[in-house]
Amino acid sequence: MNTDYLAKFYKKTYTEKIDALVKAELLTELQADNLKSEGVDLGQEIGEHMIENYIGNYSLPLGLAMNFLIDDQETVIPMAIEEPSVIAAASFAAKIIGSAGGFTTVVSERMMIGQVTLKNVTEPSTAIKKIKASKQEILDRANEAHPSIVKRGGGAKELSVRLLESDPSENIPSFLVVHLHIDTQEAMGANIVNTMMEGIAPYIEALTGGTALLRILSNYATECIATATCTIPTHKLTSGQFSGEEVRDKVVEAAQVAWVDPYRAVTHNKGIMNGVDAVVVASGNDWRAIEAGVHAFAARSGQYRALSKWHKDEAGDLVGTLSLPLPIGTVGGSIGIHPAAKLSKILLQEPDAKRLESILVSVGLAQNFAALRALVTDGIQKGHMGLHARSLAISAGAKGEQIEQVAESLKHTSHMNLQTAKAILENLT
Ligand code: NDP
């Protein structure tokens, strides 16, 4: 990839943007022509086969975040999102972080967890002993239920058992839960894991005398964790009248608040997920699965907390770290079907699942830095409302060149709302 052609990407027209992607060697001429002529929306035929009672598509804009340097690799990141300013903020943050060495990531082994949850186990301690003694038999049966993943080098690798104690105050009995730890290779693995869990349940019932109430994966993917770190010297943090040291210290304090205050933590983490979700959607992955797991992870200490941490290191630099459970895939689900997901894969240069995790967690950290930096300096509204002006202009009925004209005028008004946008448009026409 030659990113020289992507400089000032935001200033290019739509056609110039696509042409720049060809020059940068991210797209072939043919791919670019297809994109210009056909776009990336789902056709009716594909849509009808994807869900039930299909009546049409609900589109989101697909844009590109620029300037990302992730593990020394320049990366252009497709994001599907309706919220203005997210892509601009990610690109802005990535530029600062990129000029300071970029993002460094660590990705754990990608193990998914499947659960068989048993009720009515009369002798839990005996049942646990039997399950543990039959570990290999259970793993073998799980792998026999989905042999193709074993051929690919994955499969059920480990077993553990958890006894959930009864809670008489809520009239809840005890449950015995068998976990399988499963390597699903390049897939997110929901269907692979669920097939295995349904495959082993009868054997576990016979072993324990219990009844399998639930046989499904856990979306709390605590064995599929990606971590990104960045280090930013203070001279890169100066903003308006604020010195780099001031910005650094305030970012650290803002992150501390999000660590101790759940009300702030939810908003802090929402900012992180602005970026993560947009890439999860663009890549055709299951964003509900990622959202559910990430927020459980944020509450793993017993209190809902910030997902990221920021501190000052010995050199006085600002250091940010973000860890997320990211059970995503590069195959399966809609990934190979949705035209936008297929294009995203090309633009991301065909990442494997670990690399996609690295990209996702880096985007989350960039988004978090952009939000914190804005919050502790000018406030979030300055950049946000500038971009929101365009949405208001469109809502007011502006078309073509009118959109920029109305948006520009709106930025100079004291009440940036739909009524004002309509008044500006009326004056134009
Ligand atoms: P799929 O059911 O599409 O399965 C992926 C398949 O891809 C594998 O079974 C495998 O089939 C094939 N494959 C090809 N190459 C590879 C490779 N290198 N590594 C791994 N597999 C490969 O997808 P998932 O099992 O990943 O399930 C994801 C879907 O399940 C998503 O759509 C999700 O929304 C949905 N889902 C989610 C749930 C949840 O999150 N709770 C619950 C139920 C469904 P083969 O080896 O046979 O060729």
Side-chain angles (χ1 to χ4, degrees):
M1 172 169 51
N2 185 343
T3 48
D4 293 350
Y5 293 103
L6 304 176
K8 303 250 181 286
F9 194 73
Y10 59 96
K11 289 197 168 164
K12 296 182 195 296
T13 63
Y14 175 77
T15 308
E16 285 168 353
K17 285 189 177 87
I18 310 297
D19 292 342
L21 294 172
V22 176
K23 287 189 187 136
E25 295 172 4
L26 273 172
L27 292 183
T28 62
E29 295 273 2
L30 180 64
Q31 287 163 342
D33 288 346
N34 286 343
L35 177 56
K36 283 183 205 162
S37 60
E38 288 165 32
V40 284
D41 280 343
L42 274 182
Q44 183 178 333
E45 195 183 333
I46 302 178
E48 280 184 328
H49 285 99
M50 278 176 93
I51 61 161
E52 312 75 33
N53 298 350
Y54 172 88
I55 56 159
N57 296 324
Y58 181 105
S59 302
L60 287 174
L62 182 72
L64 299 178
M66 295 289 163
N67 310 320
F68 275 83
L69 183 65
I70 302 171
D71 298 323
D72 294 325
Q73 202 177 323
E74 288 182 303
T75 315
V76 166
I77 304 182
M79 298 173 97
I81 188 158
E82 85 295 348
E83 187 176 336
S85 86
V86 170
I87 292 177
S91 303
F92 174 75
K95 193 166 193 176
I96 296 177
I97 295 167
S99 72
F103 302 88
T104 307
T105 71
V106 179
V107 179
S108 72
E109 285 310 303
R110 290 171 40 78
M111 298 296 259
M112 305 302 151
I113 296 170
Q115 300 187 297
V116 174
T117 307
L118 300 154
K119 64 174 189 174
N120 300 335
V121 178
T122 47
E123 290 179 41
S125 55
T126 312
I128 290 171
K129 274 187 204 140
K130 283 186 181 170
I131 291 165
K132 286 187 175 167
S134 308
K135 172 179 147 181
Q136 197 52 52
E137 177 68 23
I138 295 169
L139 293 178
D140 290 346
R141 282 174 183 253
N143 287 328
E144 278 160 25
H146 209 300
S148 61
I149 197 66
V150 181
K151 279 199 201 116
R152 293 183 186 281
K157 304 284 183 190
E158 200 37 85
L159 175 149
S160 54
V161 196
R162 293 164 59 229
L163 178 62
L164 306 179
E165 300 286 356
S166 63
D167 182 352
S169 69
E170 294 286 334
N171 202 21
I172 295 174
S174 73
F175 295 98
L176 193 65
V177 191
V178 180
H179 279 198
L180 288 201
H181 305 261
I182 302 164
D183 177 352
T184 56
Q185 298 278 296
E186 284 298 301
M188 175 255 197
N191 290 318
I192 298 170
V193 173
N194 296 347
T195 304
M196 288 186 172
M197 293 305 108
E198 291 185 8
I200 62 170
Y203 178 73
I204 295 181
E205 283 181 324
L207 206 59
T208 60
T211 305
L213 180 67
L214 304 163
R215 303 154 297 163
I216 189 168
L217 91 159
S218 167
N219 286 110
Y220 192 24
T222 51
E223 296 173 357
C224 188
I225 307 290
T227 301
T229 307
C230 65
T231 303
I232 315 171
T234 48
H235 69 268
K236 295 191 182 290
L237 292 170
T238 313
S239 172
Q241 81 267 29
F242 300 97
S243 71
E245 285 75 14
E246 274 179 291
V247 174
R248 175 199 62 201
D249 294 344
K250 285 177 161 201
V251 165
V252 171
E253 285 163 357
Q256 288 169 341
V257 174
W259 186 257
V260 294
D261 176 14
Y263 283 88
R264 173 59 206 149
V266 172
T267 318
H268 181 99
N269 293 343
K270 189 274 181 183
I272 292 171
M273 297 313 287
N274 271 342
V276 175
D277 281 339
V279 187
V280 170
V281 173
S283 66
N285 273 283
D286 182 338
W287 73 91
R288 290 85 56 201
I290 298 300
E291 277 284 333
V294 157
H295 297 294
F297 193 64
R300 65 194 180 282
S301 67
Q303 180 184 322
Y304 189 93
R305 296 183 188 280
L307 288 157
S308 65
K309 281 189 167 176
W310 292 88
H311 74 274
K312 176 175 108 173
D313 71 6
E314 280 175 6
D317 296 341
L318 176 65
V319 180
T321 313
L322 173 66
S323 292
L324 298 174
L326 288 172
I328 45 74
T330 58
V331 296
S334 70
I335 294 165
I337 301 168
H338 198 297
K342 290 201 267 187
L343 178 72
S344 297
K345 207 174 193 180
I346 294 166
L347 292 167
L348 289 169
Q349 303 179 84
E350 308 283 345
D352 64 12
K354 281 192 168 186
R355 171 76 186 158
L356 185 54
E357 285 189 46
S358 293
I359 292 167
L360 285 160
V361 73
S362 299
V363 172
L365 189 57
Q367 215 77 54
N368 186 224
F369 170 66
L372 293 179
R373 182 187 172 279
L375 280 169
V376 301
T377 56
D378 293 330
I380 205 90
Q381 286 306 77
K382 193 177 166 195
H384 211 269
M385 290 310 275
L387 289 157
H388 182 52
R390 280 194 217 144
S391 306
L392 284 174
I394 295 167
S395 303
K399 301 242 162 23
E401 285 177 2
Q402 290 174 336
I403 297 172
E404 282 306 323
Q405 289 169 342
V406 173
E408 203 44 47
S409 301
L410 262 177
K411 285 183 206 166
H412 303 291
T413 61
S414 50
H415 291 293
M416 195 194 281
N417 58 21
L418 187 58
Q419 205 181 349
T420 318
K422 281 183 178 165
I424 294 169
L425 183 62
E426 256 172 46
N427 279 341
L428 276 182
T429 50

